[in-house]
Amino acid sequence: MCTFVAKMESMQNKLVFRRCLCLLVIMVAWVGQFHAQVRGTVTDSLTHEPISFVQVYYEGSSIGTQTDTDGHYHLPAPSGDKPMKLVFSSIEYEKKTMWVDAKASRRINVQLKEISHKLDEVMVRPRNERYKRKGNPAVELIRKVIENKSVGDLRRHDWYSYYTYQKMTTSLDDVDTRMLEGGVFKQMPFMRDQIEVDTISGRLILPVAMDETVTRHIWRNSPRAEKSIIMGQKSVGVNNLLSVGEGMTTIMESIFGQVDIYDEDIHLLEKRFVSPIATTGAISFYKYYIMDTLKVDNDSCIHLTFVPQNSQDFGFSGHLYVVKDSSYQVKKCVMTLPQKTGVNFVDEIDILQEYRRLPDGSWAMSTDDLRVSLSLVDMLQSVQVQRTTRYEDYSFAPLEASLFQRKLKEEVHADAQIQDETFWEEHRSVPLTQKESNMSKFVNDIKQMPGFKYLIFGVRALVENFVETGRNGEPSKFDFGPMNTVASYNYIDGLRLRLSGKTTAALNPHLFFNGYIAYGFRDGAPKYKAELEYAFEKKKRLPFEFPRRSVAISHQYDVMAPSDKFLVTDKDNMVLILKSKVVDQMSFIRKTVLTFNYEADNTFSTKVELRHNNDRPVGKLSYVRNDGVGQTLVPDITTTEASVTLRYAPGEVYVNSKQGRMAVNRNASIFTLNHTVGLKGVLGGDYDYHMTEMSVYKRFWLSSWGRVNATLKGGVVWDKVPFPLLSFQPTNQSYVMQLNHFHMMNNMEFLNDHYVSLDATAELNGVLLNRLPLVKHLKWREVFGVNLLYGGLSDKNNPYARPGDDELFLFPERNGQVTSFVMDTNVPYVEYHAGVHNVFKVLRIEYFRRLTYLNLPNVNKHGVRLMLQFKF
């Protein structure tokens, strides 16, 4: 009936990949807990630059080390029973000491104060004096760089094409070989054999997963078109032990994707950081200092450093090397995150970008390297993700029109995943290390470990929410799940047990079945759903893989609450059991649906449905005719409907999990239009009617400050119908927050035949709290928003305006008191919410306050809602 477009896809789908990323970190990091380590980074207290060759040692002992070129150090924790004093010493900096507890792993990041600053004619370094922009030669130079950014814009040409080679390697970081020589690891020599030295940090790492991609990027100015064609794709490692391995690769690429300082904002870790050469905002966000002039690949360059004005804001510190000529192009950029930046789970980030002059005088990127060290908790050793990208074969020659025929932004070549080694040897710009080449053997060794199949069975059930039935390496043809719906509770069922499952492409790549059977111990009635879907194109695993082009038929008999149809998760999800109010107005539905889905390559989709539904009220919901008597009960209503839904989401990219499909790009607008027709007399349908609904979703980025997600919806019921067929809004009675729901509104509280609603939420990155002395160390982030509804009910559908019209039903009641109401068209329903996220790094807590219609019975004026939210 009503079309609901959420700001996000299913929260459960998103959590699948959050769990995957967390478990991938845990799977490769858990060995680090067997040997206590002290580690950290030493930086300059003014510039926040890493300091190399600092002596780090325990006072009065022979145990010590020195920082590497990135300022990192690590050494064993004190082995005795008493704490020891850790000393940090360097010739140019004041000595610093700290106490360290015995036998305890910790991370200690230290800032050292420089003893003196040298000053000569080519060096301007930060001092204790106030930083000034006016008259600052470094700022004037950055202005010139910003003014000349267009020199490097390839879109000045009519055509262009180039290739990228990308390698992304995930490794256990900073491995202590001693922990692999005893205990349980003594029987795993392949773990020791997989260790190698990281050429950047100098630390020992253990590679566990690697992805390679070769992509051709093409552009045409008229008519304007742009496309990326994936020519080769390879993935090996522990991520493929899970069925969502391919989706994990896409998520990793989204989180650790390409960086370009010539963009206004740098997209990284699902956030936006201010570029040091952003046209708007960079000069006010960063402090700049000229350091020296030097040669970079035979080009004379001016060396600048930059740091954020506020170290807790989402920005970088680093170095720019600007070509010393009239082009003012950046030759090289080295960046890292300041230690105080409130990014979760990230210990270190190192970014290297290099640019080169092309034969026609244009400038283009040649190198984009990223190294990130992740740590979930201090007791686990960190994990390193290293992305290496090379840009090659730039060309501005005309391109064949056939390359742009398909409207996909990203196209996968038919042979991309089966390219032979000759292809990779030709396109692999950066050679594999010995251990990366050995990755397949490493994974096979893991599979041979005693008890591995039981371990991976449990991990898959937890992460994927499904239990596979495949045996002896054979792909699963039937999966049981989702597992979080096995037990639930509602007013009619009481305790409810459910068994669910679905087939996979291993059984048939075109034909898919899914369904469930459920039993409620209170009413003693069985419930069920069965669906059969035929996909016109062969699928790898499941029918909803993009593009979805299929026909399906389903039949369902179950008990439903009015707002269940709006949920973006399964209504039986056990996390929804705890509610602020009892939902006792429900219906038994017996529904048959025939669905045709067609998704075009440009993400424009069409869904056509034919629905037959029998709705029988149950609990404290009843259908009573408006016949003037008020006692004529209607046992049930039957509707036959035809509906068409059009959806357009330009630039949307999907990943698949066993629970559904998740969009990883939510920056573009999403437009949805739905029209439903009720067919009286067709298959017993009781009513003729027309309904139309529209919605628009848009994300607005506030650069490094955060983002605003907004959804605008509107709908009209054009004909006279009883109240079950009117429009009502998605409401959430659970203590668990549901996106795009009203949290202080009761179920079916307002019945409308025309409405407009707005849901707008701002999620900030601590732009306010990071400036409050007493709370900034908590790294909480602000969130606030408003839910608004304008609605009305025309007289033709208002039983109170048409007494005795028995085509209408009286509004529902509970214990003699009316529970649904007509809105005043001049008074909107408004609730606002404000709170914090990033509490303990994973918790979002919000306070909701209802502002209007407070005189209605049984309303909650305010409440608190929670949500688990894993964000960097």
Side-chain angles (χ1 to χ4, degrees), residues 278-381:
T279 304
T280 56
I283 292 176
S284 61
F285 188 88
Y286 288 104
K287 298 177 183 179
Y288 300 91
Y289 305 94
I290 294 179
M291 305 298 290
D292 205 346
T293 58
L294 70 167
K295 291 279 189 178
V296 179
D297 295 335
N298 297 321
D299 286 317
S300 181
C301 296
I302 302 172
H303 175 200
L304 296 94
T305 62
F306 57 92
V307 294
Q309 296 274 357
N310 184 329
S311 62
Q312 285 191 296
D313 285 342
F314 281 61
F316 296 97
S317 61
H319 306 262
L320 289 172
Y321 301 87
V322 181
V323 177
K324 196 176 179 182
D325 62 19
S326 59
S327 69
Y328 293 100
Q329 294 299 295
V330 175
K331 176 71 175 180
K332 182 178 179 180
C333 177
V334 180
M335 298 188 297
T336 187
L337 280 180
Q339 292 295 322
K340 291 184 179 180
T341 300
V343 179
N344 292 328
F345 315 121
V346 176
D347 296 329
E348 304 164 4
I349 289 184
D350 296 301
I351 298 172
L352 168 65
Q353 295 206 305
E354 294 177 335
Y355 299 81
R356 70 171 181 265
R357 196 192 310 264
L358 302 179
D360 70 341
S362 301
W363 283 81
M365 186 180 293
S366 59
T367 298
D368 176 24
D369 290 348
L370 170 72
R371 187 174 66 88
V372 182
S373 183
L374 303 170
S375 179
L376 291 180
V377 292
D378 289 340
M379 67 179 293
L380 293 178
Q381 197 162 336

Side-chain angles (χ1 to χ4, degrees), residues 36 38 58 63 76-84 100-104:
V38 176
Y58 292 113
I63 301 175
S79 57
D81 297 325
K82 297 180 180 180
M84 295 183 69
V100 178
D101 293 332
K103 298 179 181 178

Side-chain angles (χ1 to χ4, degrees), residues 223 251 310 333 389 398 420 430 456 512 605 656 664 689 717 736 773 799:
I251 290 290
N310 184 329
C333 177
T389 309
D420 58 21
V430 180
I456 200 65
F512 299 86
S605 64
N656 301 307
V664 296
Y689 50 87
V717 179
V736 178

Side-chain angles (χ1 to χ4, degrees), residues 683-697:
L683 300 178
D686 296 330
Y687 303 97
D688 276 319
Y689 50 87
H690 290 260
M691 304 179 187
T692 305
E693 288 189 296
M694 298 178 63
S695 67
V696 178
Y697 160 78

Side-chain angles (χ1 to χ4, degrees), residues 828-845:
Y829 172 88
V830 182
E831 64 181 42
Y832 74 83
H833 52 103
V836 293
H837 61 110
N838 205 44
V839 179
F840 306 119
K841 297 184 179 181
V842 297
L843 188 61
R844 175 170 167 176
I845 305 174

Side-chain angles (χ1 to χ4, degrees), residues 199-445:
T199 56
I200 298 177
S201 68
R203 301 194 293 263
L204 295 179
I205 60 173
L206 195 155
V208 297
M210 183 190 67
D211 299 284
E212 292 182 283
T213 308
V214 174
T215 307
R216 186 187 186 192
H217 306 267
I218 57 176
W219 155 269
R220 181 183 63 192
N221 186 43
S222 181
R224 180 159 293 194
E226 184 176 14
K227 180 179 289 189
S228 297
I229 305 173
I230 297 177
M231 309 299 295
Q233 200 169 42
K234 179 190 288 189
S235 178
V236 292
V238 297
N239 55 333
N240 290 330
L241 296 177
L242 302 175
S243 297
V244 293
E246 184 178 315
M248 174 63 72
T249 300
T250 306
I251 290 290
M252 296 282 280
E253 290 178 353
S254 173
I255 294 173
F256 307 109
Q258 271 67 37
V259 172
D260 189 350
I261 61 171
Y262 277 85
D263 293 335
E264 285 297 284
D265 293 315
I266 294 173
H267 303 189
L268 189 64
L269 304 174
E270 298 182 316
K271 299 189 178 299
R272 293 200 176 186
F273 298 82
V274 177
S275 168
I277 58 171
T279 304
T280 56
I283 292 176
S284 61
F285 188 88
Y286 288 104
K287 298 177 183 179
Y288 300 91
Y289 305 94
I290 294 179
M291 305 298 290
D292 205 346
T293 58
L294 70 167
K295 291 279 189 178
V296 179
D297 295 335
N298 297 321
D299 286 317
S300 181
C301 296
I302 302 172
H303 175 200
L304 296 94
T305 62
F306 57 92
V307 294
Q309 296 274 357
N310 184 329
S311 62
Q312 285 191 296
D313 285 342
F314 281 61
F316 296 97
S317 61
H319 306 262
L320 289 172
Y321 301 87
V322 181
V323 177
K324 196 176 179 182
D325 62 19
S326 59
S327 69
Y328 293 100
Q329 294 299 295
V330 175
K331 176 71 175 180
K332 182 178 179 180
C333 177
V334 180
M335 298 188 297
T336 187
L337 280 180
Q339 292 295 322
K340 291 184 179 180
T341 300
V343 179
N344 292 328
F345 315 121
V346 176
D347 296 329
E348 304 164 4
I349 289 184
D350 296 301
I351 298 172
L352 168 65
Q353 295 206 305
E354 294 177 335
Y355 299 81
R356 70 171 181 265
R357 196 192 310 264
L358 302 179
D360 70 341
S362 301
W363 283 81
M365 186 180 293
S366 59
T367 298
D368 176 24
D369 290 348
L370 170 72
R371 187 174 66 88
V372 182
S373 183
L374 303 170
S375 179
L376 291 180
V377 292
D378 289 340
M379 67 179 293
L380 293 178
Q381 197 162 336
S382 58
V383 168
Q384 181 189 107
V385 177
Q386 186 167 333
R387 176 182 52 73
T388 302
T389 309
R390 296 293 179 267
Y391 294 69
E392 297 178 331
D393 298 336
Y394 284 94
S395 172
F396 303 107
L399 297 166
E400 296 178 7
S402 60
L403 291 172
F404 300 96
Q405 282 183 349
R406 297 187 69 189
K407 302 302 182 182
L408 284 170
K409 284 282 189 178
E410 183 176 271
E411 186 175 321
V412 180
H413 191 276
D415 297 331
Q417 296 185 350
I418 58 173
Q419 298 285 12
D420 58 21
E421 193 57 32
T422 302
F423 170 89
W424 290 105
E425 289 176 358
E426 178 183 350
H427 291 86
R428 189 176 281 139
S429 306
V430 180
L432 301 183
T433 67
Q434 180 184 354
K435 307 308 178 184
E436 288 171 342
S437 301
N438 194 47
M439 191 71 68
S440 296
K441 180 179 182 302
F442 173 69
V443 174
N444 287 333
D445 289 337

